[in-house]
Amino acid sequence: MRRFFLTCLSLLSVIAFSAAQTASVNPNTDHYIYQGYLSDYKLALASEAFASIDTMLQTYLPQTEILLPREMALVSLDQLLHDTDNDATEPFYRFINTRMARVLEDLDRPVTEGLRIYKLYNDGFIIKSAKATVAIDLIPGGSNAKPFITDSIIYGIAGKCDALFISHWHADHANLNIAKSFAARGKRVIAPKDLWVDVDPMIQPLAEHKETDIVFEDLDLTLHVLPGHQDNVYNNINVVEFHGVGTVAQTGDQWYCCDMDWIDRVHLKYDIDVLMPNCWIHDMERHLRGFAPKMIITGHENELGEHSIDHREAYWITIKKMELVSALNIPYVLMTWGEWYDYKK
Amino acid sequence: MENLTRLSQKWLRLSVLCLLAIDVLFPVVAQRAPDYSYEDDYIFWGNPSAYLEYQAKIAFPLIDAMLQVHPPKEVMNQHRRMALVTLDQFLHETNSTRQAALYSFATTRMARMLTAMDEPLTSGVRICKLPNSGFIIKSPKTVVAVDLVAGSYAGGSLLSDSIIYEILFRSNALLITNADSRHCNSDIAQLFTTFGKKVIAPKGVLKSLGDKVMHMGDDYVQTVELEGMTLNVVPGHNGNAANNIYIIEFTGYETVAHTGAQNSDADWDIIDLIHQVYDVDILLTKSQSTQLERMIAGFQPTKVITTGENEMENSIDLRESYWTTQKRMSNLDYLHVPNIVMTWGEIYDYANGEQTDISAISDNTSSSSQKVFKNGRIYIRRNGQTYTLTGVRVK
Ligand SMILES: [Zn+2]
Ligand SMILES: [Zn+2]
């Protein structure tokens, strides 16, 4: 009975406490005291940490050696992005949109030599040469009701690209509204077989899931689609050859043992400058040997939403995984959302 | 009917998700050997707790390295700010399974601090920060510990027994401001008395130790001469409980004050006047207060060093962060009293109104070695050779 009474009492106090938390406004916000206002505290902490990270990442830009302050910032970001309390919060939206807005602005800056490679959420990349700007797996993230990246920024970015290549149908790679925005401007979208069939003449799924070359004369580039898989899902590995400038390859969500035979031989046919593998690809070493790129920029870290935190691949995990293949001596650049790297042969 | 459809949709979605998960996880799980280690592939799928534990193991040494390169200073640079706000993130987690990394972080820093603390001091004071409100303050003539506790987290102690002993052996006295377990530990106090060290505590605190403890703090300010210092005890309060404010005049050197857990409005008439009687160089005071301005105005110190950040015994919302301390202090910039935000195991040397060069003592190896910051990494230079922090020689 006594226990029952105590339980009731503690239940009551919990209810009273949560009521106090939700109903009232923290009187000590100006003093940065959050006693009794845990969610306010966590929001304020996230806001402070995201700002610190953003400042540090702007000071220590992506390069082939990861300096201590940059590593610290990335691990700090990993910690924030693995605390689900920060999912879909204002500090997160501000962070990602601030960084994406910089990409939008930078896309106006001409590239005179080589390739500028932008990393976007989630496994998205934009590659810009002097003559062409192509997007791969460009998505706004989040849900349709509340996308991570605001319409004005993501469609602004899309509006500055000349073509869109989609690896596979999963929502973290393919977004029909984005594809339609390309089509509406008369820009081609190359999709895997069976995706978005008969939606728009400019949205062009492959007729067969097989190695396919598509020439973009106006952009002075050739897209070589390699027929990969994520388990049983068609997954286009998009190898983009900017004529005379360089070749990049993005692997989408490649994850399939039975493609390994031909992947082993990719380097015999293609001279890959930059490989953008999904950071969690199985057997990273074998893929690197197969593609034999001159440089690596991983993608798909910190995918939020569907995955539980153990599969939100952290930046520090990429660092560790790349250490495991360091004997191959291929330089890699670890980038986060809203960053870019100028690649020259 | 609509509910049923929604329910079946939910189940369908769930089972698709499960299938996806099985699909992705199976190849990995299937090939794992019994002696599998996460270092083999860094795949943590299906084990979020192991993931977070490993993340802490990665992060704490980085934080430690950043803090070593960017030690406490009045003006905090973005590197130190980044390290501290990351530390705040990790110290505001609830899951105790990741605390092994925290323990080794604290222990490493304490061990390094003790070595650095032993470097000779010829003038001024050396202030070493411990968990909670704990400090060791050293002058050329004496060493005093204030509010030394082991600091608890997840049922364990942040400071090991051996570190407590090392502090004890270096100290001449222990000052305890109040009875709260975040400030006072009777086992530690007893240890000090056993080794013949002076222990000073408020009246009514540590009664069990009887007259082995010097009980001070009354209705008026008391003063006592101790080895190398004149100790002034201002009778303050935390709520209704006694809380001694200690004003330590190090004989021939600086004056340092510690306010413990002072928070009672009843004592302002004394505190408001302290600057008229004492010339306080450094004020060690609890940052988490809505009356910080009045406290600083009362003491009018040359510098403020904040106390009580990240007390792991507190609930997360109450656990003061380094970043909130910085914000609160920057609200008081107009007082023109510089402040220093320190974390566990850090040292601040002060003499003649200024911070003295600490580069010679912040070294983590020995006085004959020197820390260098090159290409964004820290190295140790010793006898003409360069080493990584883990002791690997760099060609
Ligand atoms: Zn994906
Ligand atoms: Zn996928």
Side-chain angles (χ1 to χ4, degrees), chain A residues 201-223:
Chain A
M202 297 309 288
I203 299 178
Q204 300 163 358
L206 294 192
E208 289 303 323
H209 190 59
K210 63 176 179 116
E211 191 166 347
T212 308
D213 293 343
I214 303 167
V215 179
F216 290 72
E217 272 175 23
D218 53 331
L219 302 179
D220 202 12
L221 66 85
T222 304
L223 169 67

PDB file of all heavy atoms in Angstrom, chain A residues 201-223:
ATOM      1  N   PRO A 201       9.256  13.379 -71.451  1.00  0.00           N
ATOM      2  CA  PRO A 201      10.265  12.954 -72.439  1.00  0.00           C
ATOM      3  C   PRO A 201      11.698  13.252 -71.997  1.00  0.00           C
ATOM      4  O   PRO A 201      12.636  12.557 -72.411  1.00  0.00           O
ATOM      5  CB  PRO A 201       9.925  13.792 -73.680  1.00  0.00           C
ATOM      6  CG  PRO A 201       8.553  14.314 -73.473  1.00  0.00           C
ATOM      7  CD  PRO A 201       8.258  14.303 -72.015  1.00  0.00           C
ATOM      8  N   MET A 202      11.883  14.252 -71.141  1.00  0.00           N
ATOM      9  CA  MET A 202      13.243  14.585 -70.708  1.00  0.00           C
ATOM     10  C   MET A 202      13.716  13.671 -69.580  1.00  0.00           C
ATOM     11  O   MET A 202      14.893  13.651 -69.239  1.00  0.00           O
ATOM     12  CB  MET A 202      13.335  16.048 -70.256  1.00  0.00           C
ATOM     13  CG  MET A 202      13.051  17.074 -71.348  1.00  0.00           C
ATOM     14  SD  MET A 202      14.006  16.787 -72.847  1.00  0.00           S
ATOM     15  CE  MET A 202      15.625  17.270 -72.319  1.00  0.00           C
ATOM     16  N   ILE A 203      12.790  12.964 -68.942  1.00  0.00           N
ATOM     17  CA  ILE A 203      13.169  12.010 -67.887  1.00  0.00           C
ATOM     18  C   ILE A 203      13.312  10.640 -68.538  1.00  0.00           C
ATOM     19  O   ILE A 203      12.328  10.053 -68.995  1.00  0.00           O
ATOM     20  CB  ILE A 203      12.133  12.000 -66.746  1.00  0.00           C
ATOM     21  CG1 ILE A 203      12.045  13.398 -66.113  1.00  0.00           C
ATOM     22  CG2 ILE A 203      12.482  10.944 -65.705  1.00  0.00           C
ATOM     23  CD1 ILE A 203      11.019  13.531 -65.001  1.00  0.00           C
ATOM     24  N   GLN A 204      14.546  10.149 -68.592  1.00  0.00           N
ATOM     25  CA  GLN A 204      14.837   9.012 -69.461  1.00  0.00           C
ATOM     26  C   GLN A 204      15.412   7.829 -68.685  1.00  0.00           C
ATOM     27  O   GLN A 204      16.627   7.760 -68.458  1.00  0.00           O
ATOM     28  CB  GLN A 204      15.812   9.481 -70.551  1.00  0.00           C
ATOM     29  CG  GLN A 204      15.211  10.609 -71.377  1.00  0.00           C
ATOM     30  CD  GLN A 204      16.240  11.384 -72.195  1.00  0.00           C
ATOM     31  OE1 GLN A 204      17.443  11.114 -72.146  1.00  0.00           O
ATOM     32  NE2 GLN A 204      15.768  12.370 -72.957  1.00  0.00           N
ATOM     33  N   PRO A 205      14.536   6.891 -68.274  1.00  0.00           N
ATOM     34  CA  PRO A 205      15.070   5.670 -67.652  1.00  0.00           C
ATOM     35  C   PRO A 205      15.777   4.816 -68.710  1.00  0.00           C
ATOM     36  O   PRO A 205      15.398   4.853 -69.879  1.00  0.00           O
ATOM     37  CB  PRO A 205      13.818   4.970 -67.121  1.00  0.00           C
ATOM     38  CG  PRO A 205      12.662   5.607 -67.795  1.00  0.00           C
ATOM     39  CD  PRO A 205      13.076   6.953 -68.319  1.00  0.00           C
ATOM     40  N   LEU A 206      16.778   4.069 -68.277  1.00  0.00           N
ATOM     41  CA  LEU A 206      17.454   3.183 -69.226  1.00  0.00           C
ATOM     42  C   LEU A 206      16.465   2.148 -69.751  1.00  0.00           C
ATOM     43  O   LEU A 206      15.602   1.669 -69.012  1.00  0.00           O
ATOM     44  CB  LEU A 206      18.609   2.436 -68.544  1.00  0.00           C
ATOM     45  CG  LEU A 206      19.820   3.227 -68.042  1.00  0.00           C
ATOM     46  CD1 LEU A 206      20.945   2.259 -67.675  1.00  0.00           C
ATOM     47  CD2 LEU A 206      20.306   4.240 -69.060  1.00  0.00           C
ATOM     48  N   ALA A 207      16.624   1.772 -71.017  1.00  0.00           N
ATOM     49  CA  ALA A 207      15.753   0.741 -71.595  1.00  0.00           C
ATOM     50  C   ALA A 207      16.125  -0.627 -71.026  1.00  0.00           C
ATOM     51  O   ALA A 207      15.270  -1.460 -70.747  1.00  0.00           O
ATOM     52  CB  ALA A 207      15.890   0.746 -73.113  1.00  0.00           C
ATOM     53  N   GLU A 208      17.406  -0.855 -70.856  1.00  0.00           N
ATOM     54  CA  GLU A 208      17.885  -2.122 -70.298  1.00  0.00           C
ATOM     55  C   GLU A 208      18.862  -1.803 -69.175  1.00  0.00           C
ATOM     56  O   GLU A 208      19.567  -0.790 -69.238  1.00  0.00           O
ATOM     57  CB  GLU A 208      18.627  -2.933 -71.366  1.00  0.00           C
ATOM     58  CG  GLU A 208      17.730  -3.516 -72.436  1.00  0.00           C
ATOM     59  CD  GLU A 208      16.644  -4.414 -71.873  1.00  0.00           C
ATOM     60  OE1 GLU A 208      16.925  -5.145 -70.888  1.00  0.00           O
ATOM     61  OE2 GLU A 208      15.505  -4.351 -72.375  1.00  0.00           O
ATOM     62  N   HIS A 209      18.909  -2.697 -68.190  1.00  0.00           N
ATOM     63  CA  HIS A 209      19.894  -2.478 -67.131  1.00  0.00           C
ATOM     64  C   HIS A 209      21.207  -3.100 -67.571  1.00  0.00           C
ATOM     65  O   HIS A 209      21.521  -4.265 -67.249  1.00  0.00           O
ATOM     66  CB  HIS A 209      19.403  -3.081 -65.813  1.00  0.00           C
ATOM     67  CG  HIS A 209      20.270  -2.674 -64.644  1.00  0.00           C
ATOM     68  ND1 HIS A 209      20.463  -1.380 -64.289  1.00  0.00           N
ATOM     69  CD2 HIS A 209      21.013  -3.416 -63.787  1.00  0.00           C
ATOM     70  CE1 HIS A 209      21.284  -1.323 -63.244  1.00  0.00           C
ATOM     71  NE2 HIS A 209      21.634  -2.550 -62.929  1.00  0.00           N
ATOM     72  N   LYS A 210      21.924  -2.360 -68.388  1.00  0.00           N
ATOM     73  CA  LYS A 210      23.220  -2.850 -68.890  1.00  0.00           C
ATOM     74  C   LYS A 210      24.120  -1.654 -69.141  1.00  0.00           C
ATOM     75  O   LYS A 210      23.666  -0.510 -69.128  1.00  0.00           O
ATOM     76  CB  LYS A 210      23.029  -3.672 -70.155  1.00  0.00           C
ATOM     77  CG  LYS A 210      22.452  -2.867 -71.308  1.00  0.00           C
ATOM     78  CD  LYS A 210      22.389  -3.752 -72.540  1.00  0.00           C
ATOM     79  CE  LYS A 210      21.808  -3.002 -73.690  1.00  0.00           C
ATOM     80  NZ  LYS A 210      22.329  -2.644 -74.831  1.00  0.00           N
ATOM     81  N   GLU A 211      25.381  -1.938 -69.355  1.00  0.00           N
ATOM     82  CA  GLU A 211      26.342  -0.855 -69.580  1.00  0.00           C
ATOM     83  C   GLU A 211      25.879  -0.011 -70.766  1.00  0.00           C
ATOM     84  O   GLU A 211      25.614  -0.528 -71.846  1.00  0.00           O
ATOM     85  CB  GLU A 211      27.732  -1.441 -69.840  1.00  0.00           C
ATOM     86  CG  GLU A 211      28.805  -0.388 -69.804  1.00  0.00           C
ATOM     87  CD  GLU A 211      30.205  -1.008 -69.713  1.00  0.00           C
ATOM     88  OE1 GLU A 211      30.310  -2.220 -69.436  1.00  0.00           O
ATOM     89  OE2 GLU A 211      31.180  -0.267 -69.927  1.00  0.00           O
ATOM     90  N   THR A 212      25.759   1.302 -70.536  1.00  0.00           N
ATOM     91  CA  THR A 212      25.178   2.182 -71.547  1.00  0.00           C
ATOM     92  C   THR A 212      25.985   3.473 -71.617  1.00  0.00           C
ATOM     93  O   THR A 212      26.315   4.049 -70.580  1.00  0.00           O
ATOM     94  CB  THR A 212      23.718   2.544 -71.153  1.00  0.00           C
ATOM     95  OG1 THR A 212      23.003   1.335 -70.886  1.00  0.00           O
ATOM     96  CG2 THR A 212      23.018   3.339 -72.251  1.00  0.00           C
ATOM     97  N   ASP A 213      26.281   3.915 -72.816  1.00  0.00           N
ATOM     98  CA  ASP A 213      26.959   5.209 -72.994  1.00  0.00           C
ATOM     99  C   ASP A 213      25.956   6.227 -73.507  1.00  0.00           C
ATOM    100  O   ASP A 213      25.235   5.964 -74.468  1.00  0.00           O
ATOM    101  CB  ASP A 213      28.104   5.091 -74.005  1.00  0.00           C
ATOM    102  CG  ASP A 213      29.238   4.220 -73.479  1.00  0.00           C
ATOM    103  OD1 ASP A 213      29.272   3.997 -72.244  1.00  0.00           O
ATOM    104  OD2 ASP A 213      30.056   3.757 -74.288  1.00  0.00           O
ATOM    105  N   ILE A 214      25.901   7.371 -72.885  1.00  0.00           N
ATOM    106  CA  ILE A 214      25.000   8.441 -73.327  1.00  0.00           C
ATOM    107  C   ILE A 214      25.848   9.699 -73.519  1.00  0.00           C
ATOM    108  O   ILE A 214      26.478  10.175 -72.565  1.00  0.00           O
ATOM    109  CB  ILE A 214      23.887   8.690 -72.291  1.00  0.00           C
ATOM    110  CG1 ILE A 214      23.113   7.390 -72.042  1.00  0.00           C
ATOM    111  CG2 ILE A 214      22.954   9.812 -72.746  1.00  0.00           C
ATOM    112  CD1 ILE A 214      22.208   7.428 -70.835  1.00  0.00           C
ATOM    113  N   VAL A 215      25.846  10.202 -74.724  1.00  0.00           N
ATOM    114  CA  VAL A 215      26.681  11.368 -75.025  1.00  0.00           C
ATOM    115  C   VAL A 215      25.848  12.646 -74.889  1.00  0.00           C
ATOM    116  O   VAL A 215      24.723  12.722 -75.366  1.00  0.00           O
ATOM    117  CB  VAL A 215      27.270  11.263 -76.447  1.00  0.00           C
ATOM    118  CG1 VAL A 215      28.126  12.494 -76.766  1.00  0.00           C
ATOM    119  CG2 VAL A 215      28.088   9.983 -76.591  1.00  0.00           C
ATOM    120  N   PHE A 216      26.405  13.598 -74.187  1.00  0.00           N
ATOM    121  CA  PHE A 216      25.798  14.930 -74.073  1.00  0.00           C
ATOM    122  C   PHE A 216      26.707  15.885 -74.850  1.00  0.00           C
ATOM    123  O   PHE A 216      27.665  16.426 -74.281  1.00  0.00           O
ATOM    124  CB  PHE A 216      25.717  15.380 -72.609  1.00  0.00           C
ATOM    125  CG  PHE A 216      24.719  14.622 -71.782  1.00  0.00           C
ATOM    126  CD1 PHE A 216      24.949  13.313 -71.415  1.00  0.00           C
ATOM    127  CD2 PHE A 216      23.545  15.240 -71.359  1.00  0.00           C
ATOM    128  CE1 PHE A 216      24.033  12.621 -70.638  1.00  0.00           C
ATOM    129  CE2 PHE A 216      22.626  14.554 -70.585  1.00  0.00           C
ATOM    130  CZ  PHE A 216      22.860  13.235 -70.216  1.00  0.00           C
ATOM    131  N   GLU A 217      26.412  16.076 -76.124  1.00  0.00           N
ATOM    132  CA  GLU A 217      27.310  16.889 -76.949  1.00  0.00           C
ATOM    133  C   GLU A 217      27.385  18.325 -76.460  1.00  0.00           C
ATOM    134  O   GLU A 217      28.466  18.912 -76.382  1.00  0.00           O
ATOM    135  CB  GLU A 217      26.873  16.837 -78.411  1.00  0.00           C
ATOM    136  CG  GLU A 217      27.520  15.658 -79.123  1.00  0.00           C
ATOM    137  CD  GLU A 217      27.026  15.498 -80.537  1.00  0.00           C
ATOM    138  OE1 GLU A 217      26.539  16.487 -81.116  1.00  0.00           O
ATOM    139  OE2 GLU A 217      27.124  14.366 -81.058  1.00  0.00           O
ATOM    140  N   ASP A 218      26.205  18.873 -76.107  1.00  0.00           N
ATOM    141  CA  ASP A 218      26.179  20.274 -75.663  1.00  0.00           C
ATOM    142  C   ASP A 218      26.999  20.481 -74.398  1.00  0.00           C
ATOM    143  O   ASP A 218      27.520  21.560 -74.134  1.00  0.00           O
ATOM    144  CB  ASP A 218      24.728  20.729 -75.451  1.00  0.00           C
ATOM    145  CG  ASP A 218      23.968  19.781 -74.528  1.00  0.00           C
ATOM    146  OD1 ASP A 218      24.293  18.572 -74.489  1.00  0.00           O
ATOM    147  OD2 ASP A 218      23.046  20.250 -73.820  1.00  0.00           O
ATOM    148  N   LEU A 219      27.125  19.447 -73.576  1.00  0.00           N
ATOM    149  CA  LEU A 219      27.843  19.583 -72.301  1.00  0.00           C
ATOM    150  C   LEU A 219      29.283  19.072 -72.404  1.00  0.00           C
ATOM    151  O   LEU A 219      30.020  19.110 -71.420  1.00  0.00           O
ATOM    152  CB  LEU A 219      27.100  18.827 -71.193  1.00  0.00           C
ATOM    153  CG  LEU A 219      25.642  19.242 -70.947  1.00  0.00           C
ATOM    154  CD1 LEU A 219      25.030  18.387 -69.841  1.00  0.00           C
ATOM    155  CD2 LEU A 219      25.554  20.720 -70.576  1.00  0.00           C
ATOM    156  N   ASP A 220      29.632  18.550 -73.556  1.00  0.00           N
ATOM    157  CA  ASP A 220      30.979  18.028 -73.789  1.00  0.00           C
ATOM    158  C   ASP A 220      31.324  16.926 -72.777  1.00  0.00           C
ATOM    159  O   ASP A 220      32.391  16.929 -72.174  1.00  0.00           O
ATOM    160  CB  ASP A 220      32.009  19.181 -73.726  1.00  0.00           C
ATOM    161  CG  ASP A 220      33.298  18.819 -74.474  1.00  0.00           C
ATOM    162  OD1 ASP A 220      33.278  17.803 -75.208  1.00  0.00           O
ATOM    163  OD2 ASP A 220      34.312  19.531 -74.311  1.00  0.00           O
ATOM    164  N   LEU A 221      30.357  16.022 -72.603  1.00  0.00           N
ATOM    165  CA  LEU A 221      30.613  14.910 -71.676  1.00  0.00           C
ATOM    166  C   LEU A 221      29.890  13.644 -72.127  1.00  0.00           C
ATOM    167  O   LEU A 221      28.936  13.701 -72.909  1.00  0.00           O
ATOM    168  CB  LEU A 221      30.196  15.283 -70.253  1.00  0.00           C
ATOM    169  CG  LEU A 221      28.732  15.526 -69.910  1.00  0.00           C
ATOM    170  CD1 LEU A 221      27.984  14.233 -69.591  1.00  0.00           C
ATOM    171  CD2 LEU A 221      28.645  16.454 -68.698  1.00  0.00           C
ATOM    172  N   THR A 222      30.386  12.522 -71.620  1.00  0.00           N
ATOM    173  CA  THR A 222      29.699  11.249 -71.863  1.00  0.00           C
ATOM    174  C   THR A 222      29.385  10.599 -70.521  1.00  0.00           C
ATOM    175  O   THR A 222      30.249  10.542 -69.639  1.00  0.00           O
ATOM    176  CB  THR A 222      30.585  10.285 -72.688  1.00  0.00           C
ATOM    177  OG1 THR A 222      30.948  10.947 -73.901  1.00  0.00           O
ATOM    178  CG2 THR A 222      29.857   8.992 -73.002  1.00  0.00           C
ATOM    179  N   LEU A 223      28.145  10.154 -70.405  1.00  0.00           N
ATOM    180  CA  LEU A 223      27.770   9.399 -69.208  1.00  0.00           C
ATOM    181  C   LEU A 223      27.873   7.915 -69.534  1.00  0.00           C
ATOM    182  O   LEU A 223      27.248   7.445 -70.486  1.00  0.00           O
ATOM    183  CB  LEU A 223      26.334   9.754 -68.789  1.00  0.00           C
ATOM    184  CG  LEU A 223      25.716   8.858 -67.706  1.00  0.00           C
ATOM    185  CD1 LEU A 223      26.433   9.030 -66.373  1.00  0.00           C
ATOM    186  CD2 LEU A 223      24.223   9.145 -67.544  1.00  0.00           C
TER     187      LEU A 223
END
